[in-house]
Amino acid sequence: MTSKGASVVIVGGGVTGLSTAWWLARSGCDVRVLDKGIVGWEASGRNGGGASHYHSPLYAEEQRLWPLMDDLLGYPTEYRRERVIVAMSPAQLASYHKMAANFNALGYAADHIDSRQALELAPLVSPHNLGGIHVKFGGHANPQRTVQAYAWAIQDLGGKVVQNCAVTGFQTRGGKVTAVETDQGAFGCEAVVVAAGPQTGMLLEKLGIDLPLASARAEMIVTEPAPLMAIGGVDGNGLYGRQTLRGNLAYGGGPHEWVEVSATGPEARPTTPLIRNLAKRVAELLPSAAHLRVIRSWAGVVENTPDGRPVIERFSNPDNLTAATMSGVGFGLSPASGHAISQLVLEGQCRFTDLSKLGIGRFANLPSDWREQRGWTAISPAGS
Amino acid sequence: MRPDVNGIDRAAINGKLPDPERTVQVLIIGAGPAGTAAAISEAKAGAEVLLVDENPVTASLMGLDTPLYFGGRMTTAVQRQERMIAQIFATNPALEEALELGVEVALATCAWGVFVNGPGLAALPRPVVGLANEMRAWLVGFDKLVLATGARDIPMAFPGWDQPGVMGAGGFTALVERYDAFAGRRIVVLGSGELALKTATLARSRGLDVAAIVEALPQAQAVVGPDLADIPLLTGQVIHTAQGGLTGVERIQVGPAGGPTTELSCDTVVMCIGMAPAIELLNAAGGGLTLDSQRGGHVPVLTGKGATTLPNVFVTGDCAGFGAPQDSQAYQMGWIRALLSVGDGQVMVCQCEEVTRADLLGVQPPNYLQRPERLAGRDIHTLLADGPINQDQIKRLTRACMGACQARRCREQVALTLACATQSARVPLAGFRAPVRPLPLKVLADWEEAAAMTAGWDVWFGIPSQWVPYADIGTEREAAQMVVFGEDPA
């Protein structure tokens, strides 16, 4: 092992990699997180902050951990419980009721609410709302604060976070990754985790592993502060979002743009006139806040697998490699995904939930033109 | 693997961004001297020209120090838009000439975004500018865009700066020269460069008292002419505090950083330490910028005469960068260093978000969050150990620059303060993003949304298999769970 090395090197300082490193450090493991830029700079720090993912095998662990995270990390995440999801059209109401049925089937209470109850729970919503659902668990947190909390907590446990360090390849010997090569030299390792968002596929390719991913840009807007609602996790009308503890309304949703991502990550993250369509939907959902000024917008680049489900796998060759992509739904699940991945690294399996349906093998027969088949390809620039 | 894939992603943006409601040959943003001159020259060459300017901005935006640092020293005259428009024409006679040449002039119309295809964006049907007035927002396409957005004030914090009567040279000049709506009588000028002396001369010419010119550095930065020679020039001195009452500043204390101080009576402090080229629109559109101290700070990369790195986008006037007789960054850094030596950590740096110097440099969260014990062990220096300081990272931790004024009052001073505290030569520009003017949701909203945008709108990616409960994957229940949570799951 080189002097820079660690027993586990984690490639990617997004929430999934950071949480994994934090859980490993909690187990007494010596960890290094390598990131091409600043921790949580990509989708991990640019999302809606939601933490209510009933569809995931990590869901129960997500729900168990979030209320504990501020104490466990030692730094504030702004986690707040509960969500209210409000419909402005019958189609929306039907889909939110379907969501509630899925929550309830798992034993987590999500009640149908009528228009009046929606107004009582979230006073900024439209009196013309059609009702919706009240999710009595789950919640949301501040992504930007949470990523830094993970990084600081790793450091507090003796781990190292190496920023501005781009991974260029791997050294292997005897069926193991022995070092991670970077623009700052090689980092020796006994085990490696690749959780590098859109770049995960390109990095695994260097190890002969084919992970099909496509990346897209998604946009959000934020307003100046509104009076605080009792439940900050208020969304619906085709939007996801939250009210921050400062009062700002931060919302996203709507169409994404498929983009090509290079080995060094997205070249730019522009927003577009789509922010006008987001503003319209926020103003419809929360008309009492329609006079509030939009003060910023931002975009993040998010990767997806062909079925939109995560890949979380400990490989057999190299046998000390574990890789993960959360396929666009990583932030809220991160307390649990890091826990699961740390167990894959240390014990070869996850002890608290079944991950067998999230293996990479399900894509073995994927046609090579899978992106074209789905229309998940970048747009040819106008005039070209 | 899915039988239903047909080569089309209904939830993707392809074909959904609208065409602009109109397109002009030449669109010019900013009807100051440079923008008006550009409009006249384009019109004489036969082009169809639309010249827009956000002035007169509303009194409420002026209160947010947008676009200039007005410091609450406006008279009620700024509430009368017709009078303000008349003032704009009266003080810029070239506008009449532009009108006579057929230029379409739209005042009280702000540009909140420039959108062009480039890295990470290919979905625009054509390059557009987002415009807005008080009622609505709309898009205008262009063959050629000229940005003539001028320069912004660079405020700097000191004890008592967050009250009416502390303002910038740009805000002062606009209120005095253009709008005849300045509510003060007796000013103190901070800085002694050309900007400061120009400001003092303007004040004198309008019968205002100039109580002193205060320079933190040991020498005056420009030659004080005979007409200003009777004004006390206090070099090697700094403002220690501004004190006042309900209507703002009434007096200030000045003196060397280590004291003693003397009291000056004044109702206004005009900061003339520097201005920054107004590059918000270019930066948000992805145009190239460079830090050039001799051109005033962060300025456009020029690829030809006024040409930016974006195709068909040009800059002219102060936003293109202006000749600075001195090293503007070094001078501003000298002032920040002097101001940091007076007052304590409780001086507010970001007024909107109430971030103090101590919390900025301590990288501490806002007061509505708890500060667990471990946070006390974190500060700008522990963060520096992880890599070069990035203002956007500091923003998300401290909320400095996250407020409703869109960091007009604190962007530059936060960068300078961070550079000073970490002994860095520079801190990268904190990026601008649309809308670069604070716009109400109901104004920004696209109320005439086209059917193409509505179709396939999904809360996330519209991948039906994404939300199938894990237990249902691979069972007969899976098909019924293949849904999206969109408006229109056709």
Side-chain angles (χ1 to χ4, degrees):
Chain A
M1 186 189 299
T2 66
S3 60
K4 282 181 172 177
S7 44
V8 185
V9 170
I10 294 94
V11 181
V15 271
T16 307
L18 289 168
S19 176
T20 301
W22 174 65
W23 279 102
L24 287 167
R26 281 165 59 83
S27 303
C29 216
D30 169 36
V31 295
R32 294 282 181 289
V33 179
L34 310 181
D35 195 275
K36 64 176 175 53
I38 294 173
V39 290
W41 204 247
E42 302 290 353
S44 294
R46 297 165 183 270
N47 58 79
S52 321
H53 304 100
Y54 67 81
H55 65 288
S56 171
L58 298 164
Y59 176 64
E61 183 71 352
E62 173 194 49
Q63 295 308 309
R64 181 182 79 84
L65 286 169
W66 265 116
L68 310 173
M69 289 306 281
D70 278 24
D71 285 341
L72 290 175
L73 293 168
Y75 301 93
T77 64
E78 290 184 40
Y79 173 71
R80 305 277 282 172
R81 285 180 67 92
E82 303 193 25
R83 294 197 80 86
V84 177
I85 307 178
V86 180
M88 296 298 296
S89 74
Q92 288 169 1
L93 188 63
S95 72
Y96 302 154
H97 282 171
K98 171 111 184 142
M99 199 184 288
N102 282 331
F103 280 126
N104 288 320
L106 290 163
Y108 291 86
D111 297 348
H112 290 196
I113 52 174
D114 63 21
S115 175
R116 185 184 49 81
Q117 290 169 311
L119 261 170
E120 281 168 12
L121 288 165
L124 295 176
V125 302
S126 169
H128 306 301
N129 82 82
L130 302 183
I133 64 173
H134 178 193
V135 182
K136 295 190 161 170
F137 49 90
H140 58 100
N142 179 334
Q144 302 187 323
R145 223 168 272 297
T146 303
V147 290
Q148 193 67 53
Y150 278 124
W152 282 343
I154 291 164
Q155 293 175 337
D156 289 345
L157 292 166
K160 293 273 191 304
V161 178
V162 186
Q163 299 188 139
N164 305 301
C165 179
V167 171
T168 54
F170 302 91
Q171 294 170 13
T172 57
R173 195 172 58 239
K176 288 186 184 301
V177 177
T178 55
V180 177
E181 293 172 341
T182 78
D183 56 6
Q184 295 181 21
F187 289 75
C189 60
E190 290 162 17
V192 64
V193 175
V194 180
Q199 292 88 261
T200 305
M202 284 171 264
L203 288 165
L204 292 184
E205 199 179 341
K206 295 174 189 293
L207 292 164
I209 295 165
D210 181 24
L211 170 62
L213 288 178
S215 297
R217 185 180 50 74
E219 305 182 31
M220 292 188 75
I221 59 172
V222 65
T223 70
E224 62 187 331
L228 279 184
M229 295 184 283
I231 296 175
V234 177
D235 52 20
N237 197 30
L239 301 168
Y240 61 89
R242 58 191 274 269
Q243 181 176 38
T244 70
L245 281 176
R246 174 74 172 93
N248 310 82
L249 303 168
Y251 283 89
H256 49 271
E257 177 166 351
W258 296 103
V259 296
E260 294 301 330
V261 174
S262 72
T264 50
E267 195 182 332
R269 305 159 199 84
T271 55
T272 73
L274 177 65
I275 64 177
R276 300 186 64 211
N277 308 93
L278 292 171
K280 167 181 175 275
R281 281 165 176 75
V282 178
E284 286 168 349
L285 179 69
L286 309 171
S288 302
H291 63 288
L292 292 180
R293 298 174 177 112
V294 178
I295 55 177
R296 273 187 304 283
S297 64
W298 66 89
V301 175
V302 188
E303 82 278 13
N304 269 300
T305 65
D307 57 14
R309 299 168 186 162
V311 166
I312 301 176
E313 178 150 337
R314 167 82 181 260
F315 291 88
S316 52
N317 181 28
D319 73 359
N320 62 344
L321 167 70
T322 308
T325 165
M326 296 304 291
S327 193
V329 188
F331 174 76
L333 289 166
S334 66
S337 63
H339 195 192
I341 297 163
S342 73
Q343 292 184 350
L344 291 179
V345 173
L346 295 173
E347 303 172 38
Q349 60 175 341
C350 175
R351 279 184 280 109
F352 61 84
T353 192
D354 167 48
L355 299 174
S356 61
K357 297 175 187 173
L358 302 183
I360 205 168
R362 68 187 193 267
F363 302 123
N365 297 319
L366 192 73
S368 60
D369 63 346
W370 67 276
R371 288 186 64 178
E372 288 76 11
Q373 285 189 3
R374 287 163 177 71
W376 290 13
T377 53
I379 301 167
S380 305
S384 70
Chain B
M1 47 187 295
R2 268 168 47 200
D4 57 328
V5 291
N6 59 1
I8 294 168
D9 177 2
R10 292 189 73 241
I13 201 165
N14 307 40
K16 291 182 181 173
L17 290 177
D19 282 315
E21 77 177 34
R22 61 182 288 208
T23 291
V24 295
Q25 286 177 345
V26 180
L27 176 54
I28 299 176
I29 312 295
T36 311
I40 288 170
S41 144
E42 294 284 354
K44 281 182 175 166
E48 170 206 16
V49 183
L50 172 61
L51 174 62
V52 305
D53 195 295
E54 64 191 318
N55 293 291
V57 297
T58 62
S60 123
L61 270 183
M62 279 186 153
L64 256 189
D65 293 315
T66 301
L68 298 167
Y69 185 26
F70 296 108
R73 272 289 177 258
M74 315 67 96
T75 64
T76 52
V78 301
Q79 292 168 7
R80 290 165 46 211
Q81 195 187 52
E82 278 175 30
R83 176 193 178 274
M84 297 281 275
I85 288 175
Q87 288 287 137
I88 288 172
F89 277 98
T91 54
N92 182 8
L95 268 182
E96 295 284 0
E97 184 188 349
L99 283 174
E100 280 159 22
L101 287 164
V103 172
E104 182 184 345
V105 179
L107 298 182
T109 302
C110 78
W112 48 268
V114 171
F115 303 96
V116 299
N117 285 331
L121 170 58
L124 289 163
R126 59 168 302 142
V128 291
V129 172
L131 299 178
N133 57 25
E134 273 192 85
M135 304 303 294
R136 69 180 198 112
W138 67 97
L139 302 177
V140 175
F142 58 85
D143 296 332
K144 176 180 181 179
L145 173 66
V146 181
L147 301 175
T149 45
R152 298 172 34 243
D153 287 306
I154 300 181
M156 291 186 185
F158 53 82
W161 80 297
D162 50 341
Q163 62 185 319
V166 180
M167 65 191 306
F172 177 80
T173 303
L175 289 183
V176 170
E177 196 166 53
R178 186 191 294 159
Y179 294 129
D180 190 17
F182 175 61
R185 296 289 322 148
R186 183 172 163 85
I187 72 169
V188 165
V189 169
L190 301 189
S192 67
E194 283 177 8
L195 179 66
L197 301 187
K198 222 175 86 187
T199 302
T201 302
L202 172 65
R204 279 281 184 92
S205 75
R206 301 300 166 103
L208 302 168
D209 291 335
V210 181
I213 295 171
V214 180
E215 175 54 60
L217 274 62
Q219 295 95 26
Q221 300 295 300
V223 180
V224 180
D227 51 329
L228 301 178
D230 59 316
I231 301 173
L233 174 64
L234 311 177
T235 56
Q237 297 197 34
V238 68
I239 183 165
H240 287 243
T241 181
Q243 296 148 318
L246 276 181
T247 55
V249 175
E250 292 168 359
R251 61 197 177 278
I252 65 170
Q253 308 293 330
V254 296
T261 62
T262 52
E263 184 167 301
L264 292 176
S265 165
C266 63
D267 54 41
T268 303
V269 176
V270 187
M271 288 196 210
C272 308
I273 298 155
M275 294 193 71
I279 43 88
E280 300 104 301
L281 286 167
L282 188 65
N283 180 236
L289 296 172
T290 181
L291 180 63
D292 186 340
S293 245
Q294 306 301 324
R295 287 169 60 202
H298 294 280
V299 291
V301 171
L302 297 178
T303 60
K305 194 173 182 311
T308 70
T309 59
L310 302 178
N312 307 317
V313 179
F314 296 81
V315 285
T316 184
D318 284 350
C319 74
F322 37 81
Q326 75 258 79
D327 179 329
S328 59
Q329 301 300 291
Y331 179 55
Q332 290 162 24
M333 191 74 108
W335 259 96
I336 275 286
R337 205 171 283 123
L339 287 170
L340 286 173
S341 69
V342 298
D344 59 13
Q346 294 316 301
V347 174
M348 206 77 84
V349 177
C350 172
Q351 292 184 23
C352 298
E353 299 297 307
E354 302 187 345
V355 181
T356 64
R357 277 178 188 165
D359 286 348
L360 175 70
L361 297 178
V363 198
Q364 295 296 306
N367 284 325
Y368 54 82
L369 291 182
Q370 288 194 328
R371 297 186 183 189
E373 204 176 323
R374 283 196 213 167
L375 266 171
R378 297 287 169 184
D379 64 19
I380 194 76
H381 300 290
T382 66
L383 208 60
L384 187 62
D386 297 339
I389 294 301
N390 182 304
Q391 192 173 342
D392 283 321
Q393 186 183 21
I394 301 296
K395 244 165 92 168
R396 68 189 194 178
L397 297 175
T398 65
R399 294 196 61 86
C401 303
M402 296 276 263
C405 83
Q406 299 181 316
R408 281 186 180 80
R409 292 186 283 233
C410 65
R411 184 181 301 268
E412 284 75 22
Q413 63 167 320
V414 163
L416 291 164
T417 301
L418 293 172
C420 197
T422 58
Q423 296 174 341
S424 314
R426 55 173 291 193
V427 167
L429 176 76
F432 293 92
R433 277 160 283 153
V436 302
R437 292 293 181 270
L439 281 184
L441 282 165
K442 63 184 177 189
V443 172
L444 179 61
D446 180 6
W447 293 111
E448 308 290 313
E449 180 174 289
M453 177 62 77
T454 312
W457 181 285
D458 192 85
V459 68
W460 194 225
F461 276 79
I463 306 172
S465 48
Q466 184 155 39
W467 309 112
V468 174
Y470 187 73
D472 293 346
I473 296 173
T475 71
E476 76 270 11
R477 296 186 302 275
E478 181 163 8
Q481 291 283 8
M482 297 278 272
V483 294
V484 293
F485 293 107
E487 164 67 23
D488 171 29

